[in-house]
Amino acid sequence: NAGVTQTPKFQVLKTGQSMTLQCAQDMNHNSMYWYRQDPGMGLRLIYYSASEGTTDKGEVPNGYNVSRLNKREFSLRLESAAPSQTSVYFCASGRAQRIYEQYFGPGTRLTVT
Amino acid sequence: GESVGLHLPTLSVQEGDNSIINCAYSNSASDYFIWYKQESGKGPQFIIDIRSNMDKRQGQRVTVLLNKTVKHLSLQIAATQPGDSAVYFCAENGGGGADGLTFGKGTHLIIQP
Protein backbone atom coordinates (compact mmCIF):
# COMPACT_ATOMS: atom_id res chain seq x y z
CA ASN A 1 0.00 0.00 0.00
CA ALA A 2 2.00 2.97 -1.30
CA GLY A 3 -0.54 5.67 -0.33
CA VAL A 4 -0.13 8.77 -2.51
CA THR A 5 2.73 8.81 -5.00
CA GLN A 6 3.97 11.75 -7.06
CA THR A 7 6.34 12.01 -9.99
CA PRO A 8 8.77 13.58 -10.55
CA LYS A 9 10.36 14.47 -7.21
CA PHE A 10 12.33 17.38 -8.67
CA GLN A 11 12.06 19.35 -11.89
CA VAL A 12 13.73 22.42 -13.37
CA LEU A 13 11.98 24.21 -16.22
CA LYS A 14 12.75 27.23 -18.30
CA THR A 15 10.14 29.97 -18.57
CA GLY A 16 7.55 29.01 -21.18
CA GLN A 17 8.13 25.27 -21.03
CA SER A 18 5.30 22.91 -20.18
CA MET A 19 5.12 19.85 -17.97
CA THR A 20 2.69 17.52 -16.23
CA LEU A 21 2.95 16.47 -12.60
CA GLN A 22 1.59 13.01 -11.96
CA CYS A 23 -0.23 11.79 -8.87
CA ALA A 24 -1.73 8.42 -8.00
CA GLN A 25 -3.38 6.97 -4.90
CA ASP A 26 -4.15 3.38 -4.04
CA MET A 27 -6.55 3.97 -1.14
CA ASN A 28 -9.73 4.02 -3.27
CA HIS A 29 -10.42 7.62 -2.26
CA ASN A 30 -12.99 9.62 -4.17
CA SER A 31 -11.48 13.07 -3.67
CA MET A 32 -8.10 14.30 -4.84
CA TYR A 33 -6.35 17.66 -4.52
CA TRP A 34 -3.41 19.67 -5.75
CA TYR A 35 -1.77 22.21 -3.43
CA ARG A 36 1.28 24.40 -3.73
CA GLN A 37 3.53 25.41 -0.87
CA ASP A 38 5.80 28.44 -1.04
CA PRO A 39 8.62 29.13 1.47
CA GLY A 40 7.32 30.02 4.91
CA MET A 41 3.73 29.58 3.80
CA GLY A 42 0.95 27.16 4.34
CA LEU A 43 -0.47 25.15 1.48
CA ARG A 44 -2.79 26.76 -1.05
CA LEU A 45 -5.34 24.79 -3.04
CA ILE A 46 -4.90 24.88 -6.81
CA TYR A 47 -7.56 22.43 -8.04
CA TYR A 48 -9.56 19.59 -6.61
CA SER A 49 -11.62 16.67 -7.83
CA ALA A 50 -14.48 15.58 -5.60
CA SER A 51 -15.02 12.42 -7.62
CA GLU A 52 -13.97 10.75 -10.82
CA GLY A 53 -15.04 12.87 -13.77
CA THR A 54 -15.28 16.19 -11.91
CA THR A 55 -12.73 18.94 -11.30
CA ASP A 56 -13.05 22.38 -9.72
CA LYS A 57 -10.86 25.42 -9.17
CA GLY A 58 -9.35 26.17 -5.82
CA GLU A 59 -7.78 29.33 -4.46
CA VAL A 60 -4.94 29.72 -7.01
CA PRO A 61 -5.87 27.97 -10.32
CA ASN A 62 -4.42 30.47 -12.82
CA GLY A 63 -1.71 28.96 -15.02
CA TYR A 64 -2.69 25.36 -14.27
CA ASN A 65 -4.94 22.67 -15.68
CA VAL A 66 -5.87 19.31 -14.24
CA SER A 67 -7.13 15.95 -15.42
CA ARG A 68 -8.80 13.30 -13.30
CA LEU A 69 -7.77 10.39 -15.49
CA ASN A 70 -9.55 7.75 -13.40
CA LYS A 71 -10.28 7.20 -9.72
CA ARG A 72 -6.60 6.63 -8.93
CA GLU A 73 -4.89 9.36 -10.93
CA PHE A 74 -5.02 13.16 -10.89
CA SER A 75 -2.51 15.13 -12.95
CA LEU A 76 -1.55 18.80 -12.87
CA ARG A 77 -0.33 20.54 -16.03
CA LEU A 78 1.61 23.74 -16.41
CA GLU A 79 1.13 24.87 -20.02
CA SER A 80 3.64 27.74 -20.00
CA ALA A 81 5.72 27.79 -16.84
CA ALA A 82 6.53 31.10 -15.15
CA PRO A 83 9.03 31.86 -12.34
CA SER A 84 6.06 32.59 -10.05
CA GLN A 85 5.19 28.90 -10.29
CA THR A 86 8.42 27.91 -8.55
CA SER A 87 7.10 26.00 -5.56
CA VAL A 88 6.64 22.60 -3.96
CA TYR A 89 3.52 20.86 -5.25
CA PHE A 90 1.62 18.37 -3.13
CA CYS A 91 -1.07 16.00 -4.21
CA ALA A 92 -3.53 14.69 -1.63
CA SER A 93 -6.50 12.38 -1.46
CA GLY A 94 -9.36 11.84 0.96
CA ARG A 95 -12.49 9.79 1.46
CA ALA A 96 -15.93 11.31 1.47
CA GLN A 97 -16.71 10.34 5.07
CA ARG A 98 -13.72 12.21 6.52
CA ILE A 99 -12.91 14.76 3.87
CA TYR A 100 -10.77 16.88 6.22
CA GLU A 101 -8.37 13.97 6.82
CA GLN A 102 -6.27 14.17 3.71
CA TYR A 103 -3.34 11.98 2.79
CA PHE A 104 -0.46 13.77 1.13
CA GLY A 105 2.17 12.65 -1.30
CA PRO A 106 5.89 13.45 -0.83
CA GLY A 107 5.75 16.51 -3.10
CA THR A 108 7.38 17.70 -6.32
CA ARG A 109 9.91 20.51 -6.02
CA LEU A 110 9.63 22.65 -9.16
CA THR A 111 12.00 25.46 -10.11
CA VAL A 112 11.24 27.71 -13.09
CA THR A 113 14.16 29.81 -14.31
CA GLY B 1 23.72 41.50 1.46
CA GLU B 2 21.30 39.69 3.65
CA SER B 3 18.28 38.21 1.91
CA VAL B 4 14.87 38.80 3.40
CA GLY B 5 12.29 36.05 3.26
CA LEU B 6 9.27 34.81 5.07
CA HIS B 7 10.01 33.29 8.47
CA LEU B 8 7.71 30.90 10.26
CA PRO B 9 6.84 31.55 13.89
CA THR B 10 9.06 29.31 15.98
CA LEU B 11 8.39 27.60 19.27
CA SER B 12 11.35 26.14 21.11
CA VAL B 13 10.68 23.72 23.98
CA GLN B 14 12.73 21.42 26.15
CA GLU B 15 12.37 17.71 25.57
CA GLY B 16 9.81 16.34 28.03
CA ASP B 17 7.96 19.66 28.43
CA ASN B 18 4.48 20.32 27.07
CA SER B 19 4.11 22.33 23.87
CA ILE B 20 1.24 24.62 22.97
CA ILE B 21 0.87 25.77 19.39
CA ASN B 22 -1.71 28.43 18.60
CA CYS B 23 -3.66 29.36 15.52
CA ALA B 24 -6.23 32.00 14.62
CA TYR B 25 -8.77 31.02 12.00
CA SER B 26 -11.00 33.19 9.85
CA ASN B 27 -14.03 31.24 8.63
CA SER B 28 -16.76 30.90 11.22
CA ALA B 29 -18.69 28.59 8.87
CA SER B 30 -16.05 25.83 8.93
CA ASP B 31 -17.32 22.46 10.06
CA TYR B 32 -13.98 21.04 11.08
CA PHE B 33 -10.66 22.37 12.29
CA ILE B 34 -7.64 20.21 11.78
CA TRP B 35 -3.98 20.02 12.75
CA TYR B 36 -1.33 18.71 10.37
CA LYS B 37 2.35 17.97 11.02
CA GLN B 38 4.97 18.40 8.32
CA GLU B 39 8.44 16.99 8.80
CA SER B 40 11.29 18.32 6.73
CA GLY B 41 11.10 17.16 3.11
CA LYS B 42 7.78 15.38 3.53
CA GLY B 43 4.11 16.02 2.89
CA PRO B 44 1.79 17.08 5.72
CA GLN B 45 0.42 14.35 7.95
CA PHE B 46 -2.97 14.46 9.69
CA ILE B 47 -2.78 14.66 13.50
CA ILE B 48 -6.21 15.40 14.91
CA ASP B 49 -9.46 17.17 14.08
CA ILE B 50 -12.18 18.87 16.06
CA ARG B 51 -15.71 19.51 14.95
CA SER B 52 -17.07 23.03 15.26
CA ASN B 53 -19.64 21.99 17.89
CA MET B 54 -16.91 20.83 20.29
CA ASP B 55 -14.42 22.80 22.37
CA LYS B 56 -11.92 20.08 23.27
CA ARG B 57 -10.75 16.79 21.85
CA GLN B 58 -7.98 14.51 23.04
CA GLY B 59 -5.84 12.09 21.15
CA GLN B 60 -2.70 10.20 21.96
CA ARG B 61 -0.43 12.80 23.65
CA VAL B 62 -2.26 15.61 21.85
CA THR B 63 -5.20 17.81 22.77
CA VAL B 64 -6.92 20.32 20.54
CA LEU B 65 -8.88 23.23 21.99
CA LEU B 66 -11.33 25.34 20.03
CA ASN B 67 -12.53 28.76 21.15
CA LYS B 68 -15.13 29.95 18.66
CA THR B 69 -15.73 33.22 20.49
CA VAL B 70 -12.27 34.49 19.59
CA LYS B 71 -11.72 32.18 16.57
CA HIS B 72 -8.76 30.49 18.19
CA LEU B 73 -7.45 26.97 17.90
CA SER B 74 -4.60 25.39 19.86
CA LEU B 75 -2.69 22.13 19.81
CA GLN B 76 -1.16 20.84 23.01
CA ILE B 77 1.51 18.16 22.84
CA ALA B 78 2.31 16.42 26.10
CA ALA B 79 5.84 15.33 27.02
CA THR B 80 7.39 16.60 23.80
CA GLN B 81 9.82 14.22 22.11
CA PRO B 82 12.54 14.77 19.48
CA GLY B 83 10.25 13.18 16.89
CA ASP B 84 7.76 16.00 17.43
CA SER B 85 10.12 18.45 15.77
CA ALA B 86 8.27 19.66 12.65
CA VAL B 87 6.15 22.45 11.25
CA TYR B 88 2.57 22.35 12.50
CA PHE B 89 -0.30 23.73 10.43
CA CYS B 90 -3.85 24.40 11.45
CA ALA B 91 -6.44 24.04 8.71
CA GLU B 92 -10.16 24.46 8.27
CA ASN B 93 -12.52 22.93 5.75
CA GLY B 94 -14.67 25.92 4.94
CA GLY B 95 -18.32 25.10 4.70
CA GLY B 96 -17.82 21.40 4.28
CA GLY B 97 -17.85 19.24 1.22
CA ALA B 98 -14.88 17.99 -0.76
CA ASP B 99 -13.58 21.41 -1.73
CA GLY B 100 -10.22 21.27 -0.01
CA LEU B 101 -8.70 22.79 3.11
CA THR B 102 -7.53 26.29 3.97
CA PHE B 103 -4.19 26.14 5.78
CA GLY B 104 -2.59 28.59 8.16
CA LYS B 105 1.04 29.60 7.73
CA GLY B 106 2.49 27.13 10.21
CA THR B 107 4.60 27.09 13.37
CA HIS B 108 8.03 25.50 13.54
CA LEU B 109 8.41 23.43 16.72
CA ILE B 110 12.01 22.93 17.80
CA ILE B 111 12.87 20.46 20.54
CA GLN B 112 15.86 21.28 22.73
CA PRO B 113 17.63 18.32 24.35
Side-chain angles (χ1 to χ4, degrees):
Chain A
N1 193 334
V4 179
T5 57
Q6 292 182 238
T7 55
K9 285 187 168 49
F10 302 93
Q11 183 72 49
V12 179
L13 291 178
K14 289 184 171 20
T15 297
Q17 287 185 318
S18 62
M19 79 162 295
T20 300
L21 281 65
Q22 307 286 355
C23 173
Q25 53 94 6
D26 61 3
M27 295 173 283
N28 201 35
H29 288 162
N30 284 320
S31 301
M32 297 187 73
Y33 307 86
W34 278 104
Y35 294 89
R36 61 177 287 175
Q37 184 175 34
D38 299 308
M41 301 279 288
L43 285 77
R44 291 183 293 169
L45 183 67
I46 305 171
Y47 269 93
Y48 66 97
S49 171
S51 61
E52 186 179 353
T54 69
T55 61
D56 284 286
K57 295 178 181 179
E59 180 186 354
V60 289
N62 291 346
Y64 305 95
N65 284 302
V66 290
S67 295
R68 182 76 182 266
L69 303 168
N70 47 55
K71 191 171 187 179
R72 290 188 64 247
E73 298 171 289
F74 189 37
S75 63
L76 178 72
R77 182 158 178 86
L78 286 70
E79 290 291 350
S80 179
S84 61
Q85 294 178 305
T86 293
S87 191
V88 181
Y89 290 85
F90 288 100
C91 176
S93 69
R95 53 193 173 102
Q97 297 84 355
R98 286 178 61 85
I99 207 63
Y100 45 85
E101 183 177 349
Q102 296 182 8
Y103 294 79
F104 285 80
T108 293
R109 186 173 294 274
L110 175 67
T111 302
V112 183
T113 61
Chain B
E2 197 175 68
S3 63
V4 178
L6 289 169
H7 296 283
L8 288 173
T10 298
L11 176 65
S12 184
V13 299
Q14 294 283 339
E15 184 177 348
D17 285 353
N18 296 336
S19 303
I20 300 176
I21 302 170
N22 296 303
C23 173
Y25 65 88
S26 57
N27 188 350
S28 299
S30 293
D31 287 332
Y32 285 89
F33 301 90
I34 313 103
W35 283 99
Y36 279 83
K37 172 185 181 182
Q38 186 177 26
E39 296 175 342
S40 182
K42 296 184 179 180
Q45 180 182 14
F46 173 88
I47 302 173
I48 190 168
D49 64 276
I50 186 167
R51 195 163 186 180
S52 58
N53 62 355
M54 301 171 66
D55 53 22
K56 180 179 180 179
R57 186 161 188 229
Q58 287 185 292
Q60 187 176 15
R61 265 198 326 117
V62 296
T63 300
V64 57
L65 300 177
L66 175 63
N67 184 332
K68 291 183 288 294
T69 303
V70 295
K71 294 186 181 179
H72 184 266
L73 188 68
S74 69
L75 178 71
Q76 301 177 5
I77 304 173
T80 310
Q81 303 168 358
D84 294 327
S85 181
V87 177
Y88 289 81
F89 293 97
C90 63
E92 53 188 301
N93 80 322
D99 53 353
L101 301 174
T102 300
F103 283 81
K105 289 184 169 45
T107 296
H108 189 187
L109 178 64
I110 297 172
I111 313 304
Q112 308 259 1

